[in-house]
Coordinates of all heavy atoms in Angstrom, one line a residue:
M8 N -21.1 9.1 17.2 CA -21.2 8.6 15.8 C -19.9 9.0 15.1 O -19.4 10.1 15.2 CB -22.4 9.2 15.2 CG -22.6 8.8 13.8 SD -24.1 9.4 13.1 CE -23.8 9.3 11.4
M9 N -19.4 8.1 14.3 CA -18.2 8.3 13.6 C -18.5 9.1 12.3 O -19.5 8.9 11.7 CB -17.5 7.0 13.2 CG -16.2 7.1 12.6 SD -15.5 5.5 12.4 CE -13.8 5.9 12.4
L10 N -17.7 10.1 12.1 CA -17.9 10.9 10.8 C -17.7 10.1 9.6 O -16.8 9.2 9.5 CB -16.9 12.1 10.8 CG -17.1 13.2 11.9 CD1 -16.0 14.2 11.8 CD2 -18.5 13.8 11.7
L11 N -18.6 10.3 8.6 CA -18.5 9.6 7.4 C -17.2 9.7 6.7 O -16.8 10.8 6.5 CB -19.7 10.0 6.5 CG -19.9 9.2 5.3 CD1 -20.4 7.8 5.7 CD2 -21.0 9.8 4.4
G12 N -16.6 8.7 6.3 CA -15.4 8.7 5.5 C -14.1 8.5 6.3 O -13.1 8.2 5.7
W13 N -14.1 8.7 7.6 CA -12.9 8.6 8.4 C -12.4 7.2 8.4 O -11.2 6.9 8.4 CB -13.0 9.2 9.8 CG -13.0 10.6 9.9 CD1 -14.1 11.4 10.1 CD2 -11.9 11.5 9.6 NE1 -13.7 12.8 10.0 CE2 -12.4 12.8 9.7 CE3 -10.6 11.3 9.3 CZ2 -11.6 13.9 9.6 CZ3 -9.8 12.4 9.2 CH2 -10.3 13.7 9.3
L14 N -13.3 6.2 8.5 CA -12.9 4.8 8.5 C -12.2 4.5 7.2 O -11.2 3.8 7.1 CB -14.1 4.0 8.8 CG -13.9 2.5 9.0 CD1 -13.0 2.3 10.2 CD2 -15.2 1.8 9.2
G15 N -12.8 4.9 6.1 CA -12.2 4.7 4.7 C -10.9 5.3 4.6 O -10.0 4.7 4.0
L16 N -10.8 6.5 5.1 CA -9.5 7.2 4.9 C -8.4 6.6 5.8 O -7.2 6.5 5.3 CB -9.7 8.7 5.3 CG -8.6 9.7 4.9 CD1 -8.4 9.7 3.4 CD2 -8.9 11.1 5.4
G17 N -8.8 6.2 7.0 CA -7.8 5.5 7.8 C -7.4 4.1 7.2 O -6.2 3.8 7.2
A18 N -8.3 3.4 6.6 CA -8.0 2.2 5.9 C -7.1 2.5 4.7 O -6.1 1.7 4.4 CB -9.2 1.5 5.5
A19 N -7.3 3.6 4.0 CA -6.4 3.9 2.9 C -5.0 4.2 3.3 O -4.0 3.8 2.7 CB -7.0 5.1 2.1
F20 N -4.9 4.9 4.5 CA -3.5 5.2 5.0 C -2.8 3.9 5.4 O -1.6 3.7 5.2 CB -3.6 6.2 6.1 CG -3.7 7.6 5.7 CD1 -4.7 8.4 6.1 CD2 -2.9 8.2 4.7 CE1 -4.9 9.7 5.7 CE2 -3.0 9.5 4.3 CZ -4.0 10.2 4.8
F21 N -3.6 3.0 6.0 CA -3.0 1.7 6.3 C -2.5 0.9 5.0 O -1.4 0.4 5.0 CB -4.0 0.8 7.0 CG -3.5 -0.6 7.3 CD1 -2.6 -0.8 8.4 CD2 -3.9 -1.7 6.6 CE1 -2.1 -2.1 8.7 CE2 -3.4 -2.9 6.8 CZ -2.6 -3.1 7.9
S22 N -3.3 1.0 4.0 CA -2.9 0.3 2.7 C -1.7 1.0 2.1 O -0.8 0.4 1.5 CB -4.1 0.3 1.7 OG -5.1 -0.5 2.2
A23 N -1.7 2.4 2.3 CA -0.5 3.1 1.7 C 0.8 2.8 2.5 O 1.8 2.7 1.8 CB -0.8 4.6 1.8
V24 N 0.7 2.5 3.7 CA 1.9 2.1 4.5 C 2.4 0.7 4.0 O 3.6 0.5 3.8 CB 1.6 2.0 6.0 CG1 2.7 1.3 6.8 CG2 1.4 3.4 6.5
C25 N 1.4 -0.2 3.7 CA 1.8 -1.5 3.1 C 2.5 -1.3 1.8 O 3.4 -2.0 1.4 CB 0.6 -2.4 3.0 SG -0.1 -2.9 4.6
V26 N 1.9 -0.4 0.9 CA 2.5 -0.1 -0.4 C 3.9 0.4 -0.2 O 4.8 0.1 -1.0 CB 1.6 0.8 -1.2 CG1 2.3 1.3 -2.5 CG2 0.3 0.1 -1.6
A27 N 4.1 1.3 0.7 CA 5.5 1.9 1.0 C 6.5 0.8 1.4 O 7.6 0.8 0.9 CB 5.4 3.0 2.0
I28 N 6.0 -0.1 2.2 CA 6.9 -1.2 2.6 C 7.2 -2.1 1.5 O 8.4 -2.5 1.3 CB 6.3 -2.0 3.8 CG1 6.2 -1.1 5.0 CG2 7.1 -3.2 4.1 CD1 5.4 -1.7 6.2
L29 N 6.2 -2.4 0.6 CA 6.5 -3.2 -0.6 C 7.5 -2.5 -1.5 O 8.3 -3.1 -2.1 CB 5.2 -3.5 -1.3 CG 4.3 -4.6 -0.7 CD1 3.0 -4.6 -1.3 CD2 5.0 -5.9 -0.9
A30 N 7.3 -1.2 -1.7 CA 8.2 -0.4 -2.5 C 9.7 -0.5 -2.0 O 10.6 -0.6 -2.8 CB 7.8 1.0 -2.7
R31 N 9.8 -0.4 -0.7 CA 11.1 -0.5 -0.1 C 11.7 -1.9 -0.3 O 12.9 -2.0 -0.5 CB 11.0 -0.2 1.4 CG 12.3 -0.2 2.2 CD 13.2 0.9 1.8 NE 14.4 0.8 2.6 CZ 15.5 1.3 2.2 NH1 15.6 1.9 1.1 NH2 16.6 1.2 3.0
L32 N 10.9 -2.9 -0.1 CA 11.4 -4.3 -0.4 C 11.8 -4.5 -1.8 O 12.8 -5.2 -2.1 CB 10.3 -5.3 0.0 CG 10.0 -5.4 1.5 CD1 8.9 -6.4 1.8 CD2 11.3 -5.8 2.3
D33 N 11.0 -3.9 -2.7 CA 11.4 -4.0 -4.1 C 12.7 -3.3 -4.4 O 13.6 -3.8 -5.2 CB 10.3 -3.4 -5.0 CG 9.1 -4.3 -5.2 OD1 9.3 -5.5 -4.8 OD2 8.1 -3.9 -5.7
R34 N 13.0 -2.2 -3.8 CA 14.2 -1.5 -3.9 C 15.4 -2.3 -3.4 O 16.5 -2.4 -4.0 CB 14.2 -0.2 -3.2 CG 15.3 0.7 -3.5 CD 15.0 2.1 -3.0 NE 16.2 2.9 -3.3 CZ 16.3 4.1 -2.8 NH1 15.4 4.6 -2.0 NH2 17.4 4.8 -3.0
R35 N 15.2 -3.0 -2.2 CA 16.2 -3.8 -1.7 C 16.5 -5.0 -2.6 O 17.6 -5.4 -2.8 CB 15.8 -4.4 -0.3 CG 15.8 -3.3 0.7 CD 15.4 -3.8 2.1 NE 16.5 -4.7 2.5 CZ 16.4 -5.4 3.6 NH1 15.4 -5.4 4.3 NH2 17.5 -6.2 3.9
R36 N 15.4 -5.6 -3.2 CA 15.6 -6.7 -4.1 C 16.3 -6.3 -5.3 O 17.1 -7.1 -5.9 CB 14.2 -7.3 -4.4 CG 14.3 -8.6 -5.2 CD 13.0 -9.2 -5.4 NE 12.2 -8.4 -6.2 CZ 11.0 -8.7 -6.7 NH1 10.4 -9.8 -6.3 NH2 10.3 -7.9 -7.5
R37 N 16.1 -5.1 -5.8 CA 16.8 -4.6 -7.0 C 18.3 -4.5 -6.7 O 19.1 -4.6 -7.6 CB 16.2 -3.3 -7.4 CG 16.6 -2.8 -8.8 CD 15.8 -1.6 -9.2 NE 15.5 -0.8 -8.1 CZ 14.6 0.2 -8.1 NH1 14.0 0.5 -9.2 NH2 14.4 0.9 -7.0
N38 N 18.6 -4.2 -5.4 CA 20.0 -4.0 -5.0 C 20.7 -5.4 -4.7 O 21.8 -5.4 -4.3 CB 20.1 -3.1 -3.8 CG 19.8 -1.7 -4.2 OD1 19.9 -1.3 -5.4 ND2 19.4 -0.9 -3.2
G39 N 20.0 -6.5 -4.9 CA 20.6 -7.8 -4.7 C 20.3 -8.4 -3.4 O 20.8 -9.5 -3.1
I40 N 19.5 -7.8 -2.5 CA 19.2 -8.4 -1.2 C 18.0 -9.2 -1.3 O 17.0 -8.7 -1.8 CB 19.0 -7.2 -0.1 CG1 20.3 -6.4 0.0 CG2 18.6 -7.8 1.2 CD1 20.1 -5.1 0.8
T41 N 18.1 -10.5 -0.9 CA 16.9 -11.3 -1.1 C 15.8 -11.0 -0.1 O 16.1 -10.7 1.1 CB 17.3 -12.8 -0.9 OG1 17.9 -13.0 0.4 CG2 18.3 -13.2 -1.9
V42 N 14.6 -11.1 -0.6 CA 13.4 -10.9 0.3 C 12.5 -12.1 0.2 O 12.3 -12.7 -0.9 CB 12.6 -9.6 -0.2 CG1 11.4 -9.4 0.6 CG2 13.5 -8.4 -0.2
R43 N 12.0 -12.6 1.3 CA 11.2 -13.8 1.4 C 9.9 -13.5 0.7 O 9.2 -12.5 1.0 CB 10.9 -14.2 2.8 CG 12.2 -14.7 3.5 CD 11.9 -15.1 4.8 NE 13.1 -15.6 5.5 CZ 13.2 -15.7 6.8 NH1 12.2 -15.5 7.6 NH2 14.3 -16.2 7.3
P44 N 9.4 -14.4 -0.2 CA 8.1 -14.2 -0.9 C 7.0 -14.2 0.1 O 5.9 -13.6 -0.1 CB 8.0 -15.4 -1.8 CG 9.4 -15.9 -2.0 CD 10.1 -15.5 -0.7
R45 N 7.1 -14.9 1.2 CA 6.0 -15.0 2.2 C 5.7 -13.6 2.8 O 4.6 -13.2 3.0 CB 6.4 -15.9 3.3 CG 5.3 -16.0 4.4 CD 5.7 -17.0 5.5 NE 5.6 -18.3 5.0 CZ 6.0 -19.4 5.6 NH1 6.6 -19.3 6.8 NH2 5.9 -20.6 5.1
I46 N 6.8 -12.8 3.0 CA 6.6 -11.4 3.5 C 5.8 -10.6 2.5 O 4.9 -9.8 2.9 CB 8.0 -10.8 3.9 CG1 8.6 -11.5 5.0 CG2 7.8 -9.3 4.2 CD1 10.0 -11.1 5.4
R47 N 6.2 -10.7 1.3 CA 5.5 -9.9 0.2 C 4.0 -10.3 0.1 O 3.2 -9.5 0.0 CB 6.2 -10.1 -1.1 CG 7.6 -9.5 -1.2 CD 8.3 -9.8 -2.5 NE 7.5 -9.4 -3.6 CZ 7.3 -8.2 -4.1 NH1 7.9 -7.2 -3.4 NH2 6.6 -7.9 -5.1
R48 N 3.7 -11.6 0.2 CA 2.4 -12.1 0.2 C 1.5 -11.6 1.4 O 0.4 -11.2 1.2 CB 2.3 -13.6 0.1 CG 2.6 -14.1 -1.3 CD 2.3 -15.6 -1.4 NE 3.4 -16.2 -2.3 CZ 4.3 -17.1 -1.9 NH1 4.3 -17.5 -0.7 NH2 5.1 -17.5 -2.8
L49 N 2.2 -11.6 2.5 CA 1.5 -11.1 3.7 C 1.2 -9.6 3.6 O 0.1 -9.1 4.0 CB 2.3 -11.4 5.0 CG 2.3 -12.9 5.5 CD1 3.2 -13.0 6.6 CD2 0.9 -13.3 5.9
L50 N 2.1 -8.9 3.1 CA 1.9 -7.4 2.9 C 0.8 -7.2 1.9 O 0.0 -6.2 2.1 CB 3.2 -6.7 2.5 CG 4.2 -6.4 3.6 CD1 5.5 -6.0 3.1 CD2 3.6 -5.4 4.6
L51 N 0.8 -7.9 0.8 CA -0.3 -7.8 -0.2 C -1.6 -8.1 0.4 O -2.6 -7.3 0.2 CB 0.0 -8.7 -1.4 CG -1.0 -8.7 -2.5 CD1 -1.0 -7.3 -3.1 CD2 -0.7 -9.7 -3.5
L52 N -1.7 -9.1 1.2 CA -3.0 -9.5 1.9 C -3.4 -8.4 2.9 O -4.5 -8.0 2.9 CB -2.8 -10.8 2.6 CG -4.1 -11.3 3.3 CD1 -5.2 -11.6 2.4 CD2 -3.8 -12.6 4.1
A53 N -2.4 -7.9 3.6 CA -2.7 -6.8 4.6 C -3.1 -5.5 3.9 O -4.0 -4.8 4.4 CB -1.5 -6.5 5.5
M54 N -2.6 -5.3 2.7 CA -2.9 -4.1 1.9 C -4.4 -4.2 1.5 O -5.1 -3.2 1.4 CB -2.0 -4.0 0.7 CG -2.3 -2.8 -0.2 SD -1.1 -2.7 -1.5 CE -1.5 -4.1 -2.4
L55 N -4.9 -5.3 1.1 CA -6.2 -5.5 0.6 C -7.3 -5.8 1.6 O -8.5 -5.6 1.4 CB -6.2 -6.6 -0.5 CG -5.4 -6.4 -1.7 CD1 -5.4 -7.6 -2.6 CD2 -5.8 -5.2 -2.5
M56 N -6.8 -6.2 2.8 CA -7.7 -6.6 3.9 C -8.7 -5.5 4.3 O -9.9 -5.8 4.5 CB -7.0 -7.1 5.1 CG -7.8 -7.7 6.1 SD -8.8 -9.1 5.5 CE -7.5 -10.3 5.2
P57 N -8.3 -4.2 4.4 CA -9.3 -3.2 4.8 C -10.4 -3.1 3.8 O -11.6 -2.9 4.2 CB -8.5 -1.9 4.8 CG -7.1 -2.3 5.0 CD -6.9 -3.6 4.4
G58 N -10.2 -3.2 2.5 CA -11.3 -3.1 1.6 C -12.2 -4.3 1.7 O -13.4 -4.1 1.6
L59 N -11.7 -5.5 1.9 CA -12.5 -6.7 2.1 C -13.4 -6.5 3.4 O -14.6 -6.8 3.3 CB -11.7 -7.9 2.2 CG -10.9 -8.3 1.0 CD1 -10.0 -9.5 1.3 CD2 -11.9 -8.7 -0.1
V60 N -12.8 -6.0 4.4 CA -13.6 -5.8 5.7 C -14.7 -4.8 5.5 O -15.8 -5.0 5.9 CB -12.6 -5.4 6.8 CG1 -13.4 -5.0 8.1 CG2 -11.7 -6.6 7.2
L61 N -14.3 -3.7 4.8 CA -15.3 -2.6 4.6 C -16.4 -3.1 3.7 O -17.6 -2.8 3.9 CB -14.7 -1.4 4.0 CG -13.8 -0.6 4.9 CD1 -13.0 0.5 4.1 CD2 -14.5 0.0 6.0
G62 N -16.1 -3.9 2.7 CA -17.1 -4.5 1.8 C -18.0 -5.4 2.5 O -19.2 -5.4 2.3
F63 N -17.5 -6.3 3.3 CA -18.3 -7.3 4.0 C -19.1 -6.7 5.1 O -20.2 -7.2 5.4 CB -17.4 -8.4 4.6 CG -17.0 -9.4 3.5 CD1 -15.7 -9.8 3.4 CD2 -17.9 -10.0 2.7 CE1 -15.2 -10.7 2.5 CE2 -17.5 -10.9 1.7 CZ -16.1 -11.3 1.6
A64 N -18.6 -5.6 5.6 CA -19.4 -4.9 6.7 C -20.5 -4.0 6.1 O -21.4 -3.5 6.8 CB -18.5 -4.0 7.5
G65 N -20.5 -3.8 4.8 CA -21.5 -3.0 4.1 C -21.3 -1.5 4.2 O -22.2 -0.7 4.0
R66 N -20.1 -1.1 4.5 CA -19.7 0.3 4.6 C -19.3 0.8 3.2 O -18.1 1.0 3.0 CB -18.6 0.5 5.6 CG -18.9 0.1 7.0 CD -19.9 1.0 7.7 NE -19.4 2.3 7.7 CZ -19.1 3.1 8.8 NH1 -19.1 2.5 10.0 NH2 -18.8 4.3 8.7
W67 N -20.2 0.9 2.3 CA -19.9 1.1 0.9 C -19.3 2.5 0.7 O -18.5 2.7 -0.2 CB -21.2 0.9 0.1 CG -21.6 -0.5 0.2 CD1 -22.8 -0.9 0.8 CD2 -20.9 -1.7 -0.2 NE1 -22.9 -2.3 0.8 CE2 -21.7 -2.8 0.2 CE3 -19.7 -1.9 -0.8 CZ2 -21.4 -4.1 -0.1 CZ3 -19.3 -3.2 -1.1 CH2 -20.2 -4.3 -0.7
S68 N -19.8 3.5 1.4 CA -19.2 4.8 1.2 C -17.7 4.8 1.6 O -16.9 5.4 1.0 CB -20.0 5.9 1.9 OG -20.0 5.6 3.3
D69 N -17.5 4.2 2.8 CA -16.1 4.1 3.2 C -15.2 3.2 2.3 O -14.1 3.5 2.1 CB -16.0 3.5 4.6 CG -16.5 4.4 5.7 OD1 -16.1 5.6 5.6 OD2 -17.2 4.0 6.6
F70 N -15.9 2.2 1.7 CA -15.2 1.3 0.7 C -14.7 2.2 -0.5 O -13.6 2.0 -1.0 CB -16.0 0.2 0.3 CG -15.4 -0.7 -0.8 CD1 -14.5 -1.7 -0.4 CD2 -15.7 -0.5 -2.1 CE1 -13.9 -2.5 -1.4 CE2 -15.2 -1.3 -3.1 CZ -14.2 -2.3 -2.7
L71 N -15.6 3.0 -1.0 CA -15.3 3.8 -2.1 C -14.2 4.9 -1.8 O -13.3 5.1 -2.6 CB -16.5 4.5 -2.7 CG -17.6 3.6 -3.3 CD1 -18.8 4.4 -3.7 CD2 -17.0 3.0 -4.6
I72 N -14.3 5.4 -0.6 CA -13.2 6.3 -0.2 C -11.9 5.6 -0.1 O -10.8 6.1 -0.5 CB -13.6 7.0 1.2 CG1 -14.7 8.0 0.9 CG2 -12.4 7.7 1.8 CD1 -15.4 8.5 2.2
W73 N -11.9 4.4 0.5 CA -10.7 3.6 0.6 C -10.1 3.3 -0.8 O -8.9 3.5 -1.0 CB -11.0 2.2 1.3 CG -9.9 1.3 1.2 CD1 -8.7 1.3 2.0 CD2 -9.8 0.1 0.4 NE1 -7.9 0.3 1.6 CE2 -8.5 -0.5 0.6 CE3 -10.6 -0.4 -0.6 CZ2 -8.1 -1.6 -0.1 CZ3 -10.2 -1.5 -1.3 CH2 -9.0 -2.1 -1.0
I74 N -10.9 2.8 -1.7 CA -10.4 2.4 -3.0 C -9.8 3.6 -3.8 O -8.8 3.5 -4.4 CB -11.4 1.6 -3.8 CG1 -10.7 0.7 -4.8 CG2 -12.4 2.4 -4.4 CD1 -11.5 -0.4 -5.4
G75 N -10.5 4.7 -3.7 CA -10.0 5.9 -4.4 C -8.7 6.4 -3.7 O -7.7 6.7 -4.4
A76 N -8.7 6.6 -2.4 CA -7.6 7.2 -1.7 C -6.4 6.2 -1.8 O -5.2 6.6 -1.9 CB -7.9 7.5 -0.3
A77 N -6.6 4.9 -1.7 CA -5.5 3.9 -1.7 C -4.9 3.9 -3.1 O -3.7 3.8 -3.2 CB -6.0 2.6 -1.3
A78 N -5.7 4.1 -4.1 CA -5.1 4.1 -5.5 C -4.3 5.4 -5.7 O -3.2 5.3 -6.2 CB -6.3 4.1 -6.5
I79 N -4.7 6.5 -5.2 CA -4.0 7.8 -5.4 C -2.7 7.7 -4.5 O -1.6 8.1 -5.0 CB -4.9 9.0 -5.0 CG1 -5.9 9.2 -6.1 CG2 -4.0 10.2 -4.9 CD1 -7.0 10.2 -5.7
L80 N -2.8 7.3 -3.3 CA -1.7 7.2 -2.4 C -0.7 6.2 -2.9 O 0.6 6.4 -2.9 CB -2.1 6.9 -1.0 CG -2.8 8.0 -0.2 CD1 -3.4 7.5 1.1 CD2 -2.0 9.2 0.0
G81 N -1.1 5.1 -3.4 CA -0.3 4.0 -4.0 C 0.5 4.5 -5.2 O 1.7 4.3 -5.4
W82 N -0.2 5.3 -6.0 CA 0.4 5.8 -7.2 C 1.5 6.8 -6.8 O 2.6 6.8 -7.4 CB -0.7 6.5 -8.1 CG -0.1 7.2 -9.3 CD1 0.2 6.7 -10.5 CD2 0.3 8.6 -9.3 NE1 0.8 7.7 -11.3 CE2 0.8 8.9 -10.6 CE3 0.2 9.7 -8.4 CZ2 1.3 10.1 -11.0 CZ3 0.7 10.9 -8.8 CH2 1.2 11.1 -10.1
A83 N 1.2 7.7 -5.8 CA 2.2 8.7 -5.4 C 3.4 8.0 -4.8 O 4.5 8.4 -5.1 CB 1.5 9.6 -4.4
I84 N 3.2 6.9 -4.0 CA 4.3 6.2 -3.4 C 5.2 5.6 -4.5 O 6.4 5.6 -4.5 CB 3.8 5.2 -2.4 CG1 3.3 5.9 -1.2 CG2 4.9 4.3 -1.9 CD1 2.5 5.1 -0.2
A85 N 4.5 4.9 -5.5 CA 5.3 4.3 -6.6 C 6.0 5.3 -7.4 O 7.2 5.1 -7.8 CB 4.3 3.5 -7.5
A86 N 5.5 6.5 -7.6 CA 6.2 7.5 -8.4 C 7.4 8.0 -7.6 O 8.4 8.2 -8.2 CB 5.2 8.7 -8.7
L87 N 7.2 8.2 -6.3 CA 8.3 8.7 -5.5 C 9.4 7.6 -5.4 O 10.6 8.0 -5.4 CB 7.9 9.1 -4.1 CG 7.0 10.4 -4.0 CD1 6.5 10.5 -2.6 CD2 7.9 11.5 -4.4
A88 N 9.0 6.4 -5.2 CA 10.0 5.3 -5.2 C 10.8 5.2 -6.5 O 12.0 4.9 -6.5 CB 9.3 4.0 -4.8
N89 N 10.1 5.4 -7.6 CA 10.7 5.3 -8.9 C 11.7 6.5 -9.1 O 12.7 6.4 -9.7 CB 9.7 5.3 -10.0 CG 10.3 5.0 -11.4 OD1 11.3 4.3 -11.5 ND2 9.7 5.5 -12.4
M90 N 11.3 7.7 -8.7 CA 12.1 8.8 -8.8 C 13.4 8.7 -8.0 O 14.5 9.0 -8.5 CB 11.4 10.1 -8.3 CG 12.1 11.4 -8.6 SD 11.1 12.8 -8.2 CE 10.5 12.6 -6.6
R91 N 13.3 8.1 -6.8 CA 14.5 7.9 -6.0 C 15.3 6.8 -6.6 O 16.6 6.9 -6.6 CB 14.1 7.4 -4.6 CG 13.6 8.5 -3.7 CD 13.4 8.0 -2.3 NE 12.6 9.0 -1.6 CZ 12.0 8.6 -0.5 NH1 12.0 7.4 0.0 NH2 11.3 9.5 0.2
G92 N 14.7 5.8 -7.2 CA 15.5 4.7 -7.8 C 16.3 5.2 -9.0 O 17.3 4.7 -9.3
N93 N 15.7 6.1 -9.8 CA 16.4 6.6 -10.9 C 17.6 7.5 -10.5 O 18.6 7.6 -11.3 CB 15.5 7.4 -11.8 CG 14.5 6.5 -12.6 OD1 14.7 5.4 -12.7 ND2 13.4 7.1 -13.0
Q94 N 17.6 8.1 -9.4 CA 18.7 8.9 -8.9 C 19.9 8.1 -8.5 O 21.0 8.5 -8.5 CB 18.3 9.8 -7.8 CG 17.3 10.9 -8.2 CD 16.8 11.7 -7.0 OE1 17.1 11.3 -5.8 NE2 16.1 12.7 -7.2
D95 N 19.6 6.8 -8.1 CA 20.7 5.9 -7.6 C 21.5 5.4 -8.8 O 22.7 5.0 -8.6 CB 20.1 4.7 -6.8 CG 19.6 5.2 -5.5 OD1 19.9 6.3 -5.1 OD2 18.8 4.4 -4.9
Q96 N 20.9 5.3 -10.0 CA 21.6 4.7 -11.1 C 22.4 5.8 -11.8 O 22.0 6.9 -12.0 CB 20.5 4.1 -12.1 CG 19.7 3.0 -11.5 CD 18.6 2.6 -12.4 OE1 18.4 3.1 -13.5 NE2 17.9 1.6 -12.0
P97 N 23.6 5.4 -12.3 CA 24.4 6.4 -13.0 C 23.8 6.6 -14.4 O 23.2 5.8 -15.0 CB 25.8 5.7 -13.2 CG 25.5 4.2 -12.9 CD 24.3 4.1 -12.1
S98 N 24.0 7.9 -14.9 CA 23.5 8.3 -16.2 C 24.4 7.9 -17.3 O 25.5 7.9 -17.3 CB 23.3 9.8 -16.2 OG 22.4 10.1 -15.3

């Protein structure tokens, strides 16, 4: 039997990886490198897919863990990406 919450936590880490890739793509776009919109849409869909699967499977406790952990990890990744982005710009 799988321990309660590990599925939701694993899904949150998967979503966090997608957020990190999106942050990297945004940084490249800010530097003038073009990024295909299709890639961004696929990453957005991949980021939300674990929550949809958990919801449709009825794993509500894992869904709540996923949504909470994904929000916190996404916020942390966005804050770190913004902090690095501010260091690249001259004062």
Side-chain angles (χ1 to χ4, degrees):
M8 180 176 163
M9 187 174 208
L10 293 174
L11 188 66
W13 284 107
L14 188 61
L16 195 59
F20 281 125
F21 176 77
S22 294
V24 169
C25 292
V26 170
I28 295 170
L29 281 170
R31 180 71 178 152
L32 290 177
D33 283 346
R34 190 171 179 191
R35 290 183 68 186
R36 189 173 66 176
R37 195 174 31 195
N38 291 335
I40 301 170
T41 59
V42 178
R43 293 183 181 163
R45 178 179 289 172
I46 294 173
R47 294 178 50 79
R48 283 189 216 117
L49 284 174
L50 280 170
L51 179 65
L52 181 63
M54 180 179 65
L55 297 175
M56 190 59 66
L59 292 173
V60 171
L61 289 172
F63 284 127
R66 301 288 305 247
W67 299 112
S68 61
D69 288 320
F70 177 80
L71 290 174
I72 291 169
W73 168 77
I74 201 163
I79 290 170
L80 291 171
W82 175 85
I84 291 168
L87 289 173
N89 189 31
M90 187 170 54
R91 285 188 195 160
N93 288 338
Q94 291 174 354
D95 292 342
Q96 297 174 356
S98 298

